[in-house]
Amino acid sequence: MKNFFKAIIALIAGLMLSSCGYNTMQANEEEVFAAWGDVEAAYQRRLDLIPNLVEVVKGYAKHEKDTLTAVTEARAKVGSIQMTKDLVNDPQAFQKFQAAQGELTSSIARLMVVVERYPDLKANQNFTDLQHQLEGTENRINVARVRYNQAVQKFNTSIRTFPNSLTNRLLLHLDRKEPFKAQEGASNAPKVNFQ
């Protein structure tokens, strides 16, 4: 009789643990880290391309030094922030990272305006190739951010829903992950000026 009760208790405990979400939450967190790795890779690609782009533009637009300096400084600032898995767990560091990326994006946009002023530069095959690479990289960054945000949503939902929330509170103690958010002012339409 004693063994029967032990078997019943073991069976109930096994059933409870199999539906507690422990493994699901672990898998979802790993998915967040993998998606973050894709974001890092896309940003690294951009960092690797920018010096080449700047050098090509320098050859054609020597007097646009301020714009080129801003791009170089923004790239250096982005490069100084360590991109680690821990970044997704620290909302303040995540915001700092996102702000630095925003500055770099803004500098690149100003560089593209400089390019519009120089027809010879646009005609240069090296520049055209680099510009296409940079545009493709920006698209990859956007796709990686979207996928990261989807993984974060899945993870955050998994740690907040019952019974996973109990398992998380008692065993794992996992915190919500921060998604990418739009930069301040991103909802405003850009102003186009042809002067």
Side-chain angles (χ1 to χ4, degrees), residues 169-187:
R169 194 173 308 133
L170 297 173
L171 299 174
L172 295 173
H173 311 289
L174 299 172
D175 294 322
R176 290 181 77 242
K177 306 296 183 207
E178 284 294 313
F180 274 98
K181 298 177 181 104
Q183 285 181 250
E184 192 174 314
S187 61

Side-chain angles (χ1 to χ4, degrees), residues 26-88:
Q26 298 283 343
N28 289 346
E29 186 175 42
E30 288 303 317
E31 191 175 328
V32 168
F33 292 146
W36 179 249
D38 292 343
V39 171
E40 286 180 322
Y43 279 137
Q44 185 62 50
R45 185 172 197 265
R46 177 166 72 174
L47 286 177
D48 293 342
L49 281 173
I50 288 171
N52 296 326
L53 179 64
V54 168
E55 288 304 314
V56 170
V57 174
K58 272 183 185 178
Y60 283 90
K62 291 180 183 170
H63 59 285
E64 294 292 349
K65 185 177 177 184
D66 293 342
T67 301
L68 298 172
T69 301
V71 172
T72 304
E73 288 173 356
R75 181 194 179 275
K77 191 175 201 179
V78 165
S80 71
I81 297 174
Q82 293 295 318
M83 294 188 295
T84 64
K85 287 185 195 176
D86 297 332
L87 189 64
V88 300

Side-chain angles (χ1 to χ4, degrees), residues 60 118-124:
Y60 283 90
Y118 297 95
D120 291 342
L121 179 59
K122 288 189 292 186
N124 180 287

Side-chain angles (χ1 to χ4, degrees), residues 2 27 53-54 66 70 74 81 84 95 105 118 143 154 157 179 191:
K2 226 179 191 180
L53 179 64
V54 168
D66 293 342
I81 297 174
T84 64
Q95 280 183 324
T105 299
Y118 297 95
V143 168
K154 182 177 176 182
T157 301
K191 293 179 182 168

